[in-house]
Amino acid sequence: ALYRAKSQHRGGCIAFSPELEQMIRSGQVMEAALQAADLERELSLVFQPVFATAAVRIVAVEALARWHSPQLGAVRPDLFIPVAEQLGIARKMTRVLFDKAVTVLATLPEPIRMTFNLSPADLADPLTIDLLVGRLAASGLSPTRLVFEITENALITDIHAARTMLERLRATGARLALDDFGTGYSSLSTLHQLPFDIVKVDRSFAVRLADDVGRRLVAAIRGLARSLSLECVIEGIETEAQLIEATLSGFEYAQGFFLGRPVAVDELHRAVAAEPLRWRA
Ligand code: C2E
Ligand code: MG
Ligand code: MG
């Protein structure tokens, strides 16, 4: 409202409204703000824990991008990342985010891994892959502490090119996770052909754990992953009942608001230092 008042109603009052929100979030305004953004300063990461269900222990944290624009306020990653791609600044954005992720990983105790999301544009760009491989090597961290997450949609455009990129990432020793599994078009043969180590089952399946048919479906997905020797994480666990059902269905890893919401780096350090269960408190 302040920026709107400054630009069009100097000295007047503007009440923030859903229409105003709609307008400022529209592509054009976001494009201009992103083009002018100081990415180092305006981008940050929050971290959400991934728990081992049996021990209720943090095994990894997922780095999730946040953009705090001086003009637009907080913008969601699923909104600004596609715009960054259109503007041709995806590579720069990925570099800034990856450097921040690696810096935080270096401060976390050894057994904890970091997972980092790659967009379809990242995976299609050999220079981005070079950059990730190079910066990971320069960090001095063991690549086995890093997991790259790729959504199914990143694979459908050109599966052969995708495989080459995935193999390069995996050759570093880092591991690969297929994100949001069950929402896209991956077939069994895609899963089998690509060098994934982990499958993250989309959060729409966590909701289905409430009924018998849904539970059978989720257990079948778990069984499929097991037969392909893939580790399996269930996303979007929001209730204790879902956690119990997921554990009974054989999921050894889970993520979701019930276990821990994404937090800023300071809180991450506090949570890791304390008992894992305190994360929830
Ligand atoms: P994702 O990788 O599947 O990440 C999980 C998203 O689900 C996150 O949203 C997280 O906050 C949310 N979430 C986690 N647990 C729960 C739950 O229990 N219930 C519900 N309703 N939601 C939950 P977020 O942070 O808004 O990120 C959205 C998507 O944006 C991510 O989905 C990922 O695909 C993308 N993204 C985030 N950070 C990055 C990044 O650095 N690079 C790229 N390329 N994509 C990113
Ligand atoms: Mg993810
Ligand atoms: Mg996901």
Side-chain angles (χ1 to χ4, degrees):
L2 173 68
Y3 278 88
R4 175 84 170 160
K6 277 187 174 168
S7 66
Q8 303 201 349
H9 300 262
R10 282 203 87 87
C13 288
I14 281 278
F16 194 74
S17 64
E19 293 72 36
L20 184 56
E21 176 164 14
Q22 181 59 38
M23 195 207 76
I24 59 182
R25 286 181 190 279
S26 74
Q28 257 186 345
V29 181
M30 202 192 307
E31 267 181 44
L34 203 51
Q35 198 113 53
D38 177 348
L39 295 181
E40 284 285 350
R41 219 177 41 202
E42 295 173 28
L43 288 177
S44 61
L45 290 169
V46 290
F47 302 91
Q48 186 181 31
V50 180
F51 275 86
T53 49
V56 201
R57 183 171 47 87
I58 300 170
V59 291
V61 291
E62 176 168 8
L64 295 163
R66 295 291 178 262
W67 176 32
H68 195 89
S69 155
Q71 289 93 35
L72 305 182
V75 186
R76 290 194 349 237
D78 41 347
L79 296 178
F80 72 77
I81 287 170
V83 178
E85 287 171 6
Q86 282 159 28
L87 290 176
I89 58 168
R91 190 186 302 147
K92 183 171 180 214
M93 183 174 278
T94 300
R95 172 173 58 69
V96 169
L97 291 170
F98 188 67
D99 285 349
K100 289 179 192 274
V102 165
T103 305
V104 172
L105 178 58
T107 67
L108 296 176
E110 265 294 340
I112 297 184
R113 296 194 166 110
M114 171 86 66
T115 79
F116 186 80
N117 291 282
L118 295 179
S119 70
D122 290 329
L123 201 63
D125 178 27
L127 291 180
T128 298
I129 305 300
D130 287 345
L131 184 152
L132 294 169
V133 170
R135 291 176 113 81
L136 180 56
S139 75
L141 292 169
S142 164
T144 56
R145 297 187 65 198
L146 209 81
V147 180
F148 291 103
E149 294 192 3
I150 295 109
T151 56
E152 289 186 296
N153 332 347
L155 306 172
I156 51 171
T157 25
D158 183 350
I159 192 153
H160 297 292
R163 183 180 7 204
T164 308
M165 302 297 180
L166 292 174
E167 280 167 356
R168 286 191 54 211
L169 288 172
R170 200 156 178 266
T172 63
R175 304 203 309 155
L176 304 179
L178 181 60
D179 203 357
D180 302 345
F181 181 68
T183 54
Y185 301 95
S186 324
S187 62
L188 291 180
S189 73
T190 318
L191 261 184
H192 192 58
Q193 278 172 39
L194 295 169
F196 285 108
D197 305 281
I198 301 162
V199 170
K200 296 186 79 174
V201 175
D202 188 68
R203 70 164 184 262
S204 52
F205 292 96
V207 180
R208 306 239 18 211
L209 287 165
D211 64 79
D212 215 32
V213 178
R215 279 197 290 274
R216 284 207 295 271
L217 176 66
V218 174
I221 296 175
R222 176 67 198 96
L224 160 69
R226 184 175 289 128
S227 65
L228 295 172
S229 305
L230 297 165
E231 284 182 16
C232 219
V233 182
I234 186 154
E235 300 187 278
I237 294 293
E238 292 185 347
T239 66
E240 186 167 24
Q242 287 172 355
L243 179 60
I244 292 168
E245 290 300 342
T247 309
L248 291 175
S249 301
F251 282 89
E252 62 271 62
Y253 303 106
Q255 190 176 1
F257 291 167
F258 177 71
L259 289 157
R261 287 186 176 260
V263 295
V265 63
D266 294 351
E267 205 173 322
L268 170 72
H269 285 136
R270 276 198 294 278
V272 165
E275 291 288 298
L277 276 173
R278 295 259 302 277
W279 190 299
R280 285 189 45 212

